[in-house]
Amino acid sequence: LDETAGEARALDAAIYRPSDEFIQKHGLAQEIGRLHERLGHGHDPEVLARLLRLFWLAGRYREAIFVAEKLEAARSGDKEALRIGGWALAATGQPGRAAEVLAQARALHPADHVAAAYLAAVRLHSMRGDGRVEAIRQMSLLHRAANEGDG
């Protein structure tokens, strides 16, 4: 799963949409089915967390939202539930709800740079005109500063 997630993150798409070949290559549908059986009607947070990641990797965003909500109920403030759930909301055309969930993720986990990037992308997508241009400029400056700090 970690290798699969790495391959997914390496893609340049703004919203990750896996190919059928990717899903088949990594056996995502089979693993999702296996975990569904294991979960039954329960709410085991570890199984929910794994299902959440698999739904995200498989591009099954509506199911990811459902599981993220279940995981959040089972483990309040769960970083992945908020991060992936927020991005899944954005991917399904719900930027307002996505921004709320991702802002909550940032408030609870201020060091989570992935949630910060997702929130910035959602907010940027919602902007229009000059505000959007300025936001892109600011993000570019922040990205450059972050990269210089890594060196």
Side-chain angles (χ1 to χ4, degrees), residues 33-44 47-48 51:
R34 191 184 69 72
L35 287 172
H36 263 296
E37 287 178 21
R38 183 173 158 200
L39 188 62
H41 294 290
H43 295 89
D44 178 347
V47 176
L48 287 170
L51 259 177

Side-chain angles (χ1 to χ4, degrees), residues 1 3 9 17 46 57 64 90 94 99-100 120 123-124:
L1 184 59
E3 181 180 309
R9 280 191 298 271
R17 302 277 183 206
E46 296 307 315
L57 288 169
Q94 301 176 66
E100 290 172 13
R123 286 181 174 162
L124 181 62

